[in-house]
């Protein structure tokens, strides 16, 4: 078995708005038929599956495992709000039933970058504290920055602050190659620079003009990145998160095409 396994994120279905929010079993089936080995659901897709036993049964029915659970919050204050803490602690308890999986923390982008330094430090304080609580229960965490204009960690300088500010004893880094490129950086160079704290990688493609592309149709060097990850001994998950416009109307078909690309182009590199 290859050291690197490839899973799929539910955000491809989020591109359709709420159309698939209560169709996680359907999504699991599409991922499995497309050749993916695991799912990374956003916690917003877990309606009806908050019971770990119920979710495990759904995974087994579709021959899929949980690699990552993604949880999104604002985390704009010097410490977590009561609601933020309740939300994430619920998923920490859930993740105790999936000890091999990662709890991935993602900040909801704001509308601007005002008070940038304060907001950056607040985010670091919150996610480091969450990761400490999770680690006490045996759960591995990771952080995923993004690239909308209101994101507080989107440029090279931002990444320096973020990736030197994470408490790497309890929380690692999930580079998203599309978001890195959108922020004006070279994805492979960033992954190489911070390789020692990378425990998961997100794949999405991007056109040269910055629009999201179907996997393999844009400028992201998936072959080079995959080869480097394999050669460097990476043993974690690559998670595909296709945000191409086609996903708005037919996320199932986009996922099937991604599966073919992976099988024909990336799998031979592993």
């Amino acid at each position: 078995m290859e050291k690197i396994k490839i899973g799929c994120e539910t955000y491809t279905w989020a591109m359709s708005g709420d159309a698939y929010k209560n169709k996680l079993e359907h999504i699991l089936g599409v991922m499995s038929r497309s050749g993916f080995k695991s799912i990374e659901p956003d916690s917003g897709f877990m309606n009806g599956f908050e019971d770990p036993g119920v979710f495990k049964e759904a995974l087994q029915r579709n021959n899929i495992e949980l690699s990552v659970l993604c949880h999104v919050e604002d985390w704009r204050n010097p410490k977590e709000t009561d609601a933020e803490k309740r939300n994430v602690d619920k998923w920490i308890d859930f993740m105790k039933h999936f000890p091999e999986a990662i709890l991935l923390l993602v900040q909801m982008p704001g509308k601007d970058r005002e008070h940038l330094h304060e907001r950056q430090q607040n985010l670091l304080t919150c996610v480091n504290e969450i990761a400490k609580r999770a680690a006490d229960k045996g759960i591995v965490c990771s952080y995923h920055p993004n690239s909308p204009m209101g994101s507080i960690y989107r440029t090279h300088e931002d990444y320096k602050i973020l990736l030197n500010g994470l408490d790497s004893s309890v929380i690692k880094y999930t580079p998203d190659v599309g978001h890195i490129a959108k922020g004006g950086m070279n994805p492979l160079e960033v992954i190489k620079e911070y390789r020692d704290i990378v425990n998961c990688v997100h794949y999405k493609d991007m056109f040269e003009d910055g629009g999201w592309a179907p996997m393999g149709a844009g400028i992201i060097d998936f072959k080079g990145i995959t080869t480097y990850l394999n050669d460097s001994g990476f043993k974690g998950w690559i998670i595909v998160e296709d945000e191409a416009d086609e996903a708005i109307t037919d996320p199932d078909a986009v996922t099937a095409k991604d599966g073919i690309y992976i099988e024909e182009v990336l799998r031979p590199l592993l």
Side-chain angles (χ1 to χ4, degrees), residues 80-246:
E80 298 164 82
T81 65
D82 290 343
E84 288 170 349
K85 187 174 186 299
R86 282 195 304 272
N87 290 342
V88 77
D89 283 352
K90 177 182 77 172
W91 293 114
I92 288 174
D93 288 338
F94 178 90
M95 293 296 283
K96 289 189 295 185
H97 299 270
F98 301 91
E100 302 300 319
I102 293 170
L103 178 59
L104 182 64
L105 306 176
V106 181
Q107 185 178 45
M108 180 66 72
K111 296 180 180 179
D112 56 55
R113 281 165 58 90
E114 293 181 0
H115 310 293
L116 182 60
H117 177 74
E118 177 185 351
R119 288 163 61 187
Q120 288 176 333
Q121 295 306 311
N122 288 351
L123 181 281
L124 284 168
T125 298
C126 289
V127 298
N128 282 335
E129 177 57 34
I130 291 165
K132 289 174 185 174
R133 296 201 306 272
D136 287 342
K137 297 187 177 183
I139 297 160
V140 175
C141 287
S142 193
Y143 185 77
H144 173 297
N146 45 41
S147 63
M149 292 304 293
S151 296
I152 61 172
Y153 291 110
R154 68 181 309 271
T155 70
H156 186 256
E157 289 304 312
D158 296 334
Y159 272 48
K160 284 183 180 178
I161 295 168
L162 170 68
L163 297 174
N164 288 299
L166 291 175
D167 181 350
S168 60
S169 69
V170 291
I171 187 167
K172 306 299 184 186
Y173 166 46
T174 293
D176 182 305
V177 299
H179 286 305
I180 293 170
K182 185 74 76 77
M185 297 168 281
N186 181 301
L188 181 55
E189 289 180 359
V190 171
I191 291 172
K192 285 182 175 179
E193 183 174 358
Y194 296 100
R195 172 66 184 82
D196 60 330
I197 61 169
V198 170
N199 64 348
C200 182
V201 182
H202 272 201
Y203 274 14
K204 66 166 61 71
D205 211 345
M206 188 184 81
F207 290 121
E208 194 164 0
D209 66 2
W212 298 127
M215 194 171 189
I219 62 172
I220 302 297
D221 180 15
F222 292 116
K223 291 182 181 178
I225 296 167
T226 303
T227 297
Y228 169 74
L229 289 170
N230 191 58
D231 291 349
S232 69
F234 180 70
K235 296 181 181 180
W237 286 94
I238 291 172
I239 302 294
V240 175
E241 187 183 24
D242 199 316
E243 296 185 31
D245 286 348
E246 290 91 329

Side-chain angles (χ1 to χ4, degrees), residues 2 4-10 12-13 26-40 59 61-67 201-204 215 222 237-242 251-264 266-267 270:
E2 68 265 23
I4 296 173
K5 293 187 287 186
I6 302 177
C8 191
E9 225 275 1
T10 53
T12 302
W13 287 267
H26 167 83
I27 292 170
L28 283 165
V30 173
M31 290 180 179
S32 182
R33 290 190 296 275
S34 300
F36 289 99
K37 305 301 183 184
S38 81
I39 184 172
E40 180 194 311
L59 294 174
R61 283 194 296 272
N62 293 281
N63 194 30
I64 287 278
E65 64 181 291
L66 177 67
S67 51
V201 182
H202 272 201
Y203 274 14
K204 66 166 61 71
M215 194 171 189
F222 292 116
W237 286 94
I238 291 172
I239 302 294
V240 175
E241 187 183 24
D242 199 316
D252 294 1
V254 167
T255 302
K257 290 177 183 177
D258 290 343
I260 293 169
Y261 176 84
I262 289 163
E263 196 62 34
E264 294 181 350
L266 300 186
R267 194 85 64 192
L270 300 176

Side-chain angles (χ1 to χ4, degrees), residues 69-81:
L69 177 72
C70 173
H71 183 64
V72 182
E73 290 281 3
D74 290 332
W75 294 312
R76 290 184 62 126
N77 299 295
K79 63 179 182 177
E80 298 164 82
T81 65

